[in-house]
Amino acid sequence: MQRRRILQGAAATATAALLPASVRAVAAPAAAADFPAAQWSPASASNYTVSSRPSAYPVDRVIIHVAQQTFTQTIGIFQNPAKQVSAHYVVRSGDGLVAQCVREKDIAWHAGNWDYNTRSIGIEHEGWVDQPSYFTHTMYERSARLTADICDRYGLTKDRAHIIGHHEVPGSDHTDPGVNWDWVRYIRLVNLV
């Protein structure tokens, strides 16, 4: 029985090694995430630009988004190579689970402005701008912890000049995170971490 388990494990390892890197990345361990509390849920490589930030581009802001979708649907969109969109992180409403979809060294396609994409980390939040019930205390708290960690690692001041909404990106036609997003509360939480 012991020998069978060893052989099964060896076969599984050998099979995994034969898979293309793009397929193996889907099963990457949580340790692959830049934010230790994040679950690794990689976007399709067709939906972001490989880079070497911050040496290639300085990271100077965090952009807050509301997905207009559920958590699972948002990740599914980022994993669909035809969608041509991604963000670095997605935060779930109910329990604040954080998923990382794009490594921070790479350029996620989230802002609709290449210059802002190259210099920012994008965080999507589950929900809809006109449904504030999605903006739970847990979501705010976990997202604030993530944003504070990003600011600390990149030396960003934890203020509205460095933490902006998608609607503040030049040329954006988006309204997210919307009028129901409590910026005062959010920035306070970011600074409490």
Side-chain angles (χ1 to χ4, degrees), residues 151-168:
C151 290
D152 289 344
R153 286 187 283 114
Y154 292 96
L156 306 179
T157 306
K158 298 172 184 173
D159 62 13
R160 287 285 284 120
H162 297 89
I163 305 166
I164 67 170
H166 190 183
H167 70 283
E168 296 171 286

Side-chain angles (χ1 to χ4, degrees), residues 17-47:
L18 296 174
L19 294 173
S22 60
V23 174
R24 285 195 310 261
V26 172
D34 295 303
F35 179 62
Q39 162 190 299
W40 180 240
S41 299
S44 167
S46 298
N47 294 339

Side-chain angles (χ1 to χ4, degrees), residues 159-189:
D159 62 13
R160 287 285 284 120
H162 297 89
I163 305 166
I164 67 170
H166 190 183
H167 70 283
E168 296 171 286
V169 173
S172 175
D173 62 354
H174 288 249
T175 61
D176 61 304
V179 297
N180 292 307
W181 185 262
D182 189 341
W183 280 109
V184 172
R185 175 184 186 186
Y186 189 69
I187 297 299
R188 180 178 50 79
L189 286 169

Side-chain angles (χ1 to χ4, degrees), residues 3 14-15 20 24 43 57 78 85 92 99-100 103-104 123 174 178 181 184:
R3 186 169 189 267
T15 301
R24 285 195 310 261
Y57 300 95
F78 295 166
V85 67
R92 192 160 59 195
Q100 183 170 1
R103 295 296 307 266
E104 290 178 15
I123 304 174
H174 288 249
W181 185 262
V184 172

Side-chain angles (χ1 to χ4, degrees), residues 9-188:
T13 301
T15 301
L18 296 174
L19 294 173
S22 60
V23 174
R24 285 195 310 261
V26 172
D34 295 303
F35 179 62
Q39 162 190 299
W40 180 240
S41 299
S44 167
S46 298
N47 294 339
Y48 64 90
T49 302
V50 173
S51 187
S52 59
R53 299 182 323 161
S55 60
Y57 300 95
V59 173
D60 61 12
R61 65 181 50 95
V62 175
I63 300 179
I64 302 300
H65 303 266
V66 173
Q68 301 295 102
Q69 298 289 335
T70 67
F71 178 85
T72 303
Q73 290 168 330
T74 302
I75 292 172
I77 289 167
F78 295 166
Q79 292 175 339
N80 180 341
K83 294 297 184 175
Q84 303 291 288
V85 67
S86 63
H88 294 92
Y89 295 96
V90 182
V91 183
R92 192 160 59 195
S93 174
D95 62 2
L97 177 70
V98 175
Q100 183 170 1
C101 302
V102 176
R103 295 296 307 266
E104 290 178 15
K105 72 174 189 62
D106 296 326
I107 302 164
W109 301 344
H110 61 97
N113 175 312
W114 179 250
D115 184 48
Y116 275 63
N117 281 344
T118 63
R119 299 177 330 180
S120 64
I121 303 294
I123 304 174
E124 286 281 2
H125 295 82
E126 176 181 37
W128 285 261
V129 296
D130 61 348
Q131 296 181 33
S133 60
Y134 276 92
F135 305 154
T136 64
H137 176 71
T138 302
M139 175 188 270
Y140 275 118
E141 189 176 69
R142 299 284 168 79
S143 177
R145 193 174 300 155
L146 168 61
T147 297
D149 184 73
I150 293 166
C151 290
D152 289 344
R153 286 187 283 114
Y154 292 96
L156 306 179
T157 306
K158 298 172 184 173
D159 62 13
R160 287 285 284 120
H162 297 89
I163 305 166
I164 67 170
H166 190 183
H167 70 283
E168 296 171 286
V169 173
S172 175
D173 62 354
H174 288 249
T175 61
D176 61 304
V179 297
N180 292 307
W181 185 262
D182 189 341
W183 280 109
V184 172
R185 175 184 186 186
Y186 189 69
I187 297 299
R188 180 178 50 79

